[in-house]
Amino acid sequence: NAGVTQTPKFQVLKTGQSMTLQCAQDMNHNSMYWYRQDPGMGLRLIYYSASEGTTDKGEVPNGYNVSRLNKREFSLRLESAAPSQTSVYFCASSEALSLRYGYTFGSGTRLTVV
Amino acid sequence: GQQLNQSPQSMFIQEGEDVSMNCTSSSIFNTWLWYKQDPGEGPVLLIALYKAGELTSNGRLTAQFGITRKDSFLNISASIPSDVGIYFCAGQEGTGKLIFGQGTTLQVKP
C-alpha cells in the first residue's frame, strides 16, 4: 500500500546512545517532515525538507539532525539521546509545502530513553 | 512561534450525541485541516478547508474555516464508538508549514 513507512516502530535507548529513525514515502512527494508528539502538546515540528536537497529547522530542532537521502527518504538522528527525547515520532510527507491534500503521516516510532 | 488553542482537551460522551470542538489562533492561517488519530497510529486527514467562511462536510463530520481566518470548528453528528480517538486541528502558516493544536481526546460510551 502506498504511504509513509517508518522504522523502527519501538525503540528503547540508554541516555547518551545514538540512533537514526528511518522514513520512506512512495507517493513521489516533494516535502517531508519530522514531528514529535507528547501528551498535551500536540504535534511539534522538529525538521522539514521542502524538497530534495534542502532541510530546515522546525519548532524543536535541538538535539536532532536530519538527512534527506533522496526524494523518498528522510531520516532523523539523535546523536546523544536524553530522557527529554522520550516521545512518539511521526514522519509525514506532502506534494509540496502547498497543502492541496494535506500531509500523509506514518504510523510512528515510539522511543523511550532511560 | 504561532500557537493554536484547541478545546476542549477531552470529551466523554454518550453514543448518538453530537460533538463540537474548535481551534483558535492569534495569527491568520491560509488553510485549516482536521485530523484524527486512532490509538497506535498516525493522524489521518479528515477535512481540509482552503477559504475563509468555507463550510465542508465529510459524512457525519462538518468543519468550517472562520471568517477571520483565525479559527475553525469541527462538528461530529450522531457519534458512534469508532469515533473514539484524538482529533487535531492544524493551520498552515505563511511559510507553508503546518502548526498543530494540542488535540481533543474523544471517548464515546456505547
Side-chain angles (χ1 to χ4, degrees), chain B residues 27-74:
Chain B
S27 304
I28 289 173
F29 285 117
N30 299 322
T31 301
W32 282 95
L33 304 172
W34 285 91
Y35 281 86
K36 182 193 178 193
Q37 183 181 26
D38 290 326
E41 298 295 329
V44 174
L45 182 65
L46 296 174
I47 291 179
L49 302 159
Y50 302 105
K51 296 192 306 183
E54 180 179 355
L55 183 71
T56 297
S57 293
N58 179 7
R60 293 178 295 106
L61 278 61
T62 301
Q64 184 159 28
F65 192 146
I67 291 290
T68 64
R69 295 168 63 191
K70 293 183 178 181
D71 62 337
S72 178
F73 72 76
L74 175 70

Side-chain angles (χ1 to χ4, degrees), chain A residues 37-66:
Chain A
Q37 181 180 20
D38 302 291
M41 304 287 285
L43 291 154
R44 292 182 294 169
L45 183 64
I46 305 171
Y47 271 94
Y48 70 102
S49 172
S51 61
E52 186 179 357
T54 69
T55 60
D56 286 286
K57 295 179 180 179
E59 182 184 355
V60 288
N62 291 343
Y64 305 95
N65 285 300
V66 291

Side-chain angles (χ1 to χ4, degrees), chain A residues 33 35 37 40-45 48 57-59 90 97-108 110, chain B residues 2 9 31 33 35 37 39-45 48 50 86 88 92 95-103:
Chain A
Y33 316 84
Y35 283 87
Q37 181 180 20
M41 304 287 285
L43 291 154
R44 292 182 294 169
L45 183 64
Y48 70 102
K57 295 179 180 179
E59 182 184 355
F90 287 100
L97 284 180
S98 166
L99 281 175
R100 204 63 217 171
Y101 301 105
Y103 291 4
T104 300
F105 283 85
S107 56
R110 284 144 186 83
Chain B
Q2 294 191 34
Q9 283 192 339
T31 301
L33 304 172
Y35 281 86
Q37 183 181 26
E41 298 295 329
V44 174
L45 182 65
Y50 302 105
I86 304 176
F88 289 102
Q92 183 188 21
T95 62
K97 297 192 299 291
L98 273 187
I99 306 297
F100 283 83
Q102 303 96 323

Side-chain angles (χ1 to χ4, degrees), chain A residues 52-105:
Chain A
E52 186 179 357
T54 69
T55 60
D56 286 286
K57 295 179 180 179
E59 182 184 355
V60 288
N62 291 343
Y64 305 95
N65 285 300
V66 291
S67 295
R68 184 74 183 266
L69 304 170
N70 47 55
K71 190 172 185 179
R72 291 186 63 247
E73 299 172 287
F74 188 39
S75 62
L76 178 71
R77 183 161 179 82
L78 287 70
E79 291 290 352
S80 179
S84 61
Q85 293 178 305
T86 293
S87 187
V88 182
Y89 292 85
F90 287 100
C91 178
S93 70
S94 64
E95 284 189 21
L97 284 180
S98 166
L99 281 175
R100 204 63 217 171
Y101 301 105
Y103 291 4
T104 300
F105 283 85

